[in-house]
Amino acid sequence: MIRIRLLSVFAALLLALPAMAAGKTIIVLDGSGSMWGQIDGTTKIEIARDTLRKVMATLPQDTELGLVAYGHREKGSCSDIEIAIPPARGTAGAVADFADSLNPKGKTPLTDAVRKAAGELRIEENPATVILVTDGLETCNADPCALGRELEASGVDFTAHVVGFGLSEEEGQEVACLAENTGGLYLKADDAGQLAEALQTTVAKAPEPEPEPEPEPKPEPAAVEFNVRGIARLSRDGPDMTDSTEVRWDFIPLGENGAPANRSTAGGYRGVFAASVPPGAYRAKARLGRIIVESDVELTADTTTDVLAVLDAGLVEVTPKRTPEDTDVDQSARVDVHFDGTNDGGYGETRVWAKAGPIKVTGRIGKATIEESHELAAGKTLTLDLVIGSGLVVPSAVYTESGPDVEGSAIRFEVLEAKADINGNRKTLSGQYGPGKQGMDVPPGDYMLHARLGKAEAMTPISVKAGERTEATVNINAGVLAVSAPGAYRIDFLEGKKDIQGNQKNLSGAYDEEAQETLHPGEYEVRVRYEGDRAEEGRKATVTAGERTEVIIE
């Protein structure tokens, strides 16, 4: 079902390109390691490849399309971003071919990937669209919300659409702002059926012929330099925000029915903004962050009309820390300020304009969270140190107590709750592939560090303290059984002993002439099947912890 819904999302967006803008489009595709995760038995990267292949086949030949991929070449790198297919006509097949060859393995630098796509599109010169497809959140200490605000403030004709592939509601909010801040759409893949239907009647609708442009009315001779001035204040009795460049003003013409037009006649980023516009009725709109104040005004040619926008707002400045004693800002912390039915935030030191009154400030580092309630006064700045109690678990593993070390990204580590439920299951707080790396953020407390490699797994108790680094090693007590069987059709690894019913458990296998498996010490059987008339062969093998056992069947 998710494959069909994601296909609907791609189709709705990509088939809508001619109606979106007369410009170029780049797909930014997630190639991080999490794309090997499965949905209904199929990996996400396979779903994405299949979906892209089908959608690409439906695109008109003159679609100007490109592809940027990230996280597909290096593990642990925040700079692994590639302009795989520069935007051009007739590239649909190349986009699908590249996706087929993509091998997910790295991190999720989605913010810089969108920035790189925008640069490739030369957004200062051309209308442009980016479609970001991601199954995870930013992992490289960048803020997609801030990028959206930056691109919007630059005044360029740029739109970002975001497809959240299997993201939760909370995770979706953290990337939706990139779309919202650039006038784009955020689409959840598991809701794509309903969203695609909406797109067919709005964005994806075939563009109607442009009406003949009406001659613009000649402005009447003005007796003043500017006939309108927007004045923003944080509080009614406070000073004008004369020096601010964060307030966005727009003057939008009103039709005969009182409805505003789609575009503003004049606008800009100034706390006090002056302009000369044709006389008539307008909707004056002042925006500061997520705060919007609107009023309708009638403008004439010979009078300067002042429009006052009282934002009734204050500034919240938050410094996230792991302990009260920390002097450094934790750049991995997510901070949000909730107010008036909405929220705004970012990573690391965060600065948010919020409506005056009761506000809620939340912080998150991994699974460690904090929530505080405060009162914000209009025109004032509230400065907070937000202590998010979190410790860092840096895992490693050995095959035996005396070594060797387990290396590579195949081993999976997870921090589990110390206490199991009635069924013996433990809740997972965090996880990662491979030892060391960036570590796992968890709240202070006692946990179990679990490691799994092949069919071997083990865990050890750990204790985590806020603001401290906990390095822990798991002894997986395992060895490697490697099999070489030239001409084999399939190699299977089985338990050496049959159960009371005479059944022999099949542990794993591979369709290849060579295979290996990580197993706990003990007796096992290797079974090799061949195509044609050659009979199946089996061999007994003993696995020793910390050693490699090789079996050759010729």
Side-chain angles (χ1 to χ4, degrees):
M1 180 61 69
I2 192 74
R3 188 192 297 248
I4 294 171
R5 289 176 178 170
L6 185 59
L7 178 58
S8 299
V9 173
F10 272 127
L13 283 173
L14 292 173
L15 294 178
L17 295 181
M20 287 178 181
K24 299 178 181 179
T25 297
I26 285 182
I27 299 171
V28 177
L29 183 59
D30 189 342
S32 63
S34 59
M35 287 291 281
W36 287 117
Q38 294 189 358
I39 297 176
D40 296 332
T42 304
T43 63
K44 296 177 186 177
I45 186 59
E46 288 179 281
I47 295 172
R49 288 169 179 163
D50 184 53
T51 301
L52 270 174
R53 173 71 60 187
K54 291 177 180 177
V55 172
M56 292 299 103
T58 66
L59 291 183
Q61 285 296 314
D62 60 351
T63 302
E64 293 190 82
L65 185 65
L67 178 70
V68 166
Y70 61 79
H72 60 296
R73 297 177 297 186
E74 301 176 42
K75 296 176 182 178
S77 171
C78 287
S79 60
D80 183 14
I81 302 169
E82 178 185 9
I83 300 172
I85 310 293
R89 290 184 173 88
T91 59
V95 169
D97 290 343
F98 186 88
D100 286 345
S101 67
L102 189 141
N103 181 26
K105 63 181 65 173
K107 302 188 77 170
T108 309
L110 64 87
T111 304
D112 283 347
V114 172
R115 187 188 300 277
K116 191 163 188 173
E120 178 68 13
L121 290 165
R122 294 190 293 277
I123 58 176
E124 296 85 357
E125 307 167 16
N126 309 294
T129 302
V130 164
I131 300 173
L132 167 66
V133 182
T134 179
D135 82 323
L137 303 180
E138 173 69 53
T139 60
C140 289
N141 295 328
D143 187 352
C145 300
L147 175 61
R149 291 193 295 268
E150 174 189 329
L151 292 171
E152 173 67 14
S154 68
V156 297
D157 190 353
F158 174 83
T159 304
H161 302 289
V162 179
V163 179
F165 189 8
L167 298 183
S168 67
E169 291 289 344
E170 179 185 3
E171 291 170 333
Q173 290 180 3
E174 296 191 20
V175 291
C177 53
L178 175 59
E180 294 166 357
N181 290 342
T182 60
L185 300 172
Y186 171 69
L187 306 176
K188 281 180 93 268
D190 52 2
D191 287 332
Q194 295 90 349
L195 290 172
E197 182 178 350
L199 285 171
Q200 293 298 330
T201 60
T202 54
V203 182
K205 182 174 65 175
E208 298 177 0
E210 297 255 348
E212 287 293 325
E214 296 182 6
E216 292 192 13
K218 294 181 180 180
E220 298 178 12
V224 290
E225 183 179 3
F226 303 109
N227 65 340
V228 65
R229 191 171 62 144
I231 303 170
R233 294 178 187 169
L234 292 174
S235 62
R236 183 165 295 279
D237 298 327
D240 298 347
M241 299 178 69
T242 308
D243 298 327
S244 174
T245 58
E246 296 182 78
V247 179
R248 171 72 190 190
W249 279 98
D250 281 289
F251 292 91
I252 307 165
L254 298 177
E256 293 182 0
N257 60 355
N262 293 327
R263 291 180 175 274
S264 64
T265 298
Y269 284 87
R270 295 293 298 177
V272 177
F273 175 78
S276 184
V277 298
Y282 289 85
R283 178 155 298 168
K285 179 167 139 182
R287 173 166 58 86
L288 178 61
R290 298 289 176 90
I291 303 166
I292 296 175
V293 175
E294 295 180 328
S295 61
D296 292 347
V297 60
E298 189 77 29
L299 302 180
T300 62
D302 56 357
T303 303
T304 299
T305 300
D306 285 344
V307 179
L308 178 63
V310 179
L311 297 164
D312 188 30
L315 181 62
V316 183
E317 295 179 336
V318 184
T319 302
K321 302 178 177 181
R322 292 177 183 250
T323 68
E325 296 77 24
D326 284 350
T327 57
D328 295 330
V329 177
D330 195 306
Q331 299 296 344
S332 68
R334 172 71 192 189
V335 176
D336 282 283
V337 180
H338 305 257
F339 60 94
D340 199 32
T342 188
N343 66 280
D344 197 3
Y347 288 88
E349 197 164 20
T350 302
R351 181 176 178 273
V352 171
W353 292 101
K355 273 285 189 181
I359 64 170
K360 182 174 68 176
V361 181
T362 60
R364 173 171 54 80
I365 302 175
K367 292 291 184 180
T369 60
I370 187 68
E371 177 180 312
E372 295 182 357
S373 296
H374 296 274
E375 192 74 21
L376 179 64
K380 302 297 183 181
T381 297
L382 179 63
T383 304
L384 303 172
D385 281 350
L386 191 66
V387 179
I388 311 170
S390 179
L392 190 66
V393 178
V394 181
S396 60
V398 291
Y399 287 98
T400 67
E401 286 292 347
S402 57
D405 294 338
V406 178
E407 300 177 341
S409 60
I411 187 167
R412 172 71 178 178
F413 293 98
E414 291 182 341
V415 178
L416 310 177
E417 288 187 344
K419 186 176 180 181
D421 64 19
I422 194 168
N423 296 313
N425 299 316
R426 290 180 168 87
K427 183 179 178 182
T428 301
L429 280 83
S430 187
Q432 72 174 53
Y433 285 96
K437 297 185 179 179
Q438 71 275 12
M440 297 172 283
D441 283 300
V442 294
D446 295 325
Y447 303 100
M448 301 297 291
L449 176 61
H450 179 271
R452 181 180 71 253
L453 178 61
K455 295 300 175 181
E457 57 182 314
M459 57 185 175
T460 188
I462 58 173
S463 184
V464 179
K465 295 182 180 180
E468 293 188 9
R469 178 186 177 98
T470 300
E471 296 185 355
T473 301
V474 181
N475 175 12
I476 64 171
N477 185 34
V480 175
L481 177 55
V483 180
S484 175
Y489 169 67
R490 179 175 172 85
I491 300 173
D492 285 294
F493 298 90
L494 295 86
E495 288 187 345
K497 186 178 179 181
K498 295 180 181 180
D499 63 18
I500 195 169
Q501 300 294 333
N503 300 316
Q504 200 169 3
K505 185 177 180 182
N506 190 317
L507 300 173
S508 67
Y511 291 95
D512 205 342
E513 295 182 348
E514 294 184 348
Q516 69 177 40
E517 187 59 275
T518 304
L519 301 163
H520 288 302
E523 299 299 320
Y524 297 91
E525 182 176 338
V526 175
R527 194 169 293 166
V528 180
R529 284 183 281 166
Y530 299 89
E531 291 185 297
D533 297 333
R534 183 172 176 179
E536 179 181 287
E537 294 192 36
R539 295 283 178 84
K540 298 290 186 179
T542 300
V543 173
T544 303
E547 296 183 8
R548 180 182 180 88
T549 300
E550 295 185 343
V551 174
I552 299 175
I553 301 176
E554 296 180 329

